[in-house]
Amino acid sequence: VTYDAIKIPKWLSLSEMHPVDYYSSYTKNCTGKFTEQEVRNIRAFYYAMCAETDAMLGEVISALRDTGLLKTTIVIFTADHGELAMEHRQFYKMSMYEASSHVPLLVMGPGIKEQQQVPNVVSLVDIYPTMLDIARIPVWQNLSGYSLIPLLHGKAENEVSPRRPRPSWVLSEFHGCNVNSSTYMLRTGRWKYITYSDGRSVLPQLFGMLQFCVLTDSLIYLNGNWFLTDFLFVPDLTSDPDELTNVATKFPAVVHSLDKILRSTVNYPKVSSSVQDYNKRQFISWKKSLGQNYSNVIANLRWHRDWLKEPKKYENAIEKWL
């Protein structure tokens, strides 16, 4: 790892953070002070593991080549999540930011052009129908995912799925630890919409910057001058690569449109309510099972560094929740 080339991520102040982000940082013991060297070390360790994994993948490919199987084998490399590595004052996963939810997807094999980059947004749910397609097993009609083979073979969008059109978005949701509400993300090519809980009690997030683009047929030449008759704004997530600027309140129409798509796919307020009921029931059961040990056990879980500053305050907050 080239240590000096490691980028130190930008952070919002604790007071500016989204409440779900603040909670996640808190439960990951990341609200304290970090030196630049500490952050750089954490990221260096992660990059070193990536390099090690790359070397291991190389050994697999070399073994396939040595045994003559590479010409008849499709290799798919992906991951279940990214590693925040101190972006947004967090490590680990459990987030919809790019460093957590954007995973690698590399494919090589017969019929797949080298060095090509497919611009479509795709999802891990596409892996299963892709493997069925590779094995020439009919893909079930009710699967959420789509085979990636047509995209990998460079077919046009209208040729990609004979059963139904591939959507222009991907969906992710999370209900596990280190978040204080269910989280849902809808990602298009340029916009990322994140909403929480019932969609009202917690502020949503929208990332993507608008770039000014001139339509080529909207310029007219008059009296020796060019005049603009029409223009277009195009959202571009790459203009805010650190995802620090939430533009949800600036573009309510975009939020409404993406939320409508999300609700047509999953009734997320209903799902969130079920999750909340489940969490409360399970927590009560867990607390009862601990008996007198409850205070000691909960104070020494993952969030122990911040919890131990005011343990009684946090126990009372839990009692209020229950």
Side-chain angles (χ1 to χ4, degrees):
V1 175
T2 306
Y3 193 80
D4 292 338
I6 296 172
K7 178 186 174 184
I8 302 297
K10 298 176 183 177
W11 288 350
L12 294 174
S13 65
L14 291 173
S15 61
E16 293 176 296
M17 292 175 71
H18 189 278
V20 173
D21 290 337
Y22 180 81
Y23 181 88
S24 295
S25 294
Y26 187 95
T27 55
K28 293 174 180 178
N29 290 321
C30 290
T31 56
K33 293 182 178 180
F34 288 86
T35 66
E36 185 174 299
Q37 183 176 352
E38 286 173 330
V39 174
R40 199 181 296 273
N41 283 341
I42 291 170
R43 294 172 71 78
F45 299 151
Y46 173 59
Y47 292 146
M49 287 189 286
C50 291
E52 182 182 32
T53 302
D54 183 60
M56 292 176 178
L57 178 60
E59 291 187 20
V60 172
I61 294 171
S62 295
L64 288 170
R65 182 180 289 111
D66 294 343
T67 54
L69 294 173
L70 191 59
K71 293 181 179 180
T72 58
T73 302
I74 291 181
V75 179
I76 301 176
F77 176 82
T78 189
D80 58 335
H81 62 84
E83 170 69 31
L84 283 156
M86 299 313 293
E87 294 187 27
H88 295 274
R89 195 184 275 268
Q90 295 183 48
F91 69 98
Y92 206 21
K93 49 181 181 177
M94 304 153 181
S95 167
M96 294 303 173
Y97 290 122
E98 290 294 276
S100 173
S101 64
H102 189 175
V103 299
L105 179 56
L106 307 172
V107 186
M108 67 175 292
I112 299 173
K113 184 180 177 182
E114 293 184 15
Q115 302 296 324
Q116 71 169 327
Q117 293 187 12
V118 178
N120 304 62
V121 286
V122 298
S123 172
L124 287 175
V125 296
D126 295 326
I127 300 297
Y128 178 48
T130 299
M131 298 185 77
L132 290 177
D133 205 357
I134 292 170
R136 293 183 172 81
I137 298 173
V139 178
W140 300 344
Q141 295 295 311
N142 63 340
L143 289 182
S144 296
Y146 299 78
S147 173
L148 297 172
I149 295 301
L151 288 177
L152 293 170
H153 288 169
K155 293 189 177 181
E157 185 70 30
N158 57 6
E159 300 178 273
V160 167
S161 176
R163 55 193 180 109
R164 66 188 193 278
R166 170 184 285 274
S168 59
W169 47 265
V170 292
L171 165 72
S172 183
E173 56 183 296
F174 183 69
H175 312 277
C177 59
N178 291 103
V179 295
N180 54 356
S181 67
S182 293
T183 305
Y184 307 84
M185 182 264 282
L186 196 74
R187 173 68 196 268
T188 67
R190 296 296 185 181
W191 286 114
K192 177 186 286 188
Y193 173 59
I194 307 173
T195 189
Y196 303 90
S197 189
D198 56 7
R200 295 188 305 272
S201 57
V202 182
L203 290 173
Q205 291 173 294
L206 180 69
F207 297 103
M209 301 297 288
L210 292 190
Q211 290 187 333
F212 181 75
C213 300
V214 177
L215 297 177
T216 55
D217 59 354
S218 63
L219 292 172
I220 62 172
Y221 189 75
L222 184 64
N223 297 328
N225 296 297
W226 286 101
F227 290 88
L228 184 65
T229 60
D230 198 5
F231 55 89
L232 177 69
F233 282 108
V234 179
D236 184 4
L237 191 62
T238 59
S239 297
D240 181 24
D242 296 303
E243 296 175 292
L244 297 176
T245 306
N246 179 12
V247 295
T249 57
K250 291 184 178 180
F251 303 105
V254 175
V255 169
H256 176 76
S257 176
L258 295 176
D259 192 75
K260 186 176 181 180
I261 295 173
L262 178 59
R263 289 174 185 266
S264 70
T265 307
V266 55
N267 185 348
Y268 73 83
K270 183 178 180 181
V271 173
S272 297
S273 178
S274 297
V275 170
Q276 290 170 5
D277 291 342
Y278 171 85
N279 285 342
K280 189 166 289 189
R281 291 196 310 270
Q282 292 301 312
F283 189 92
I284 291 172
S285 176
W286 174 76
K287 183 182 178 185
K288 287 181 178 178
S289 72
L290 294 175
Q292 297 297 317
N293 292 326
Y294 165 72
S295 294
N296 181 58
V297 171
I298 197 168
N300 287 283
L301 294 180
R302 181 180 286 161
W303 47 73
H304 65 279
R305 289 184 182 272
D306 282 329
W307 181 282
L308 291 174
K309 295 174 184 176
E310 298 181 272
K312 202 61 185 176
K313 171 186 173 181
Y314 301 123
E315 278 200 44
N316 290 338
I318 290 177
E319 291 305 313
K320 182 178 179 182
W321 168 64
L322 294 176

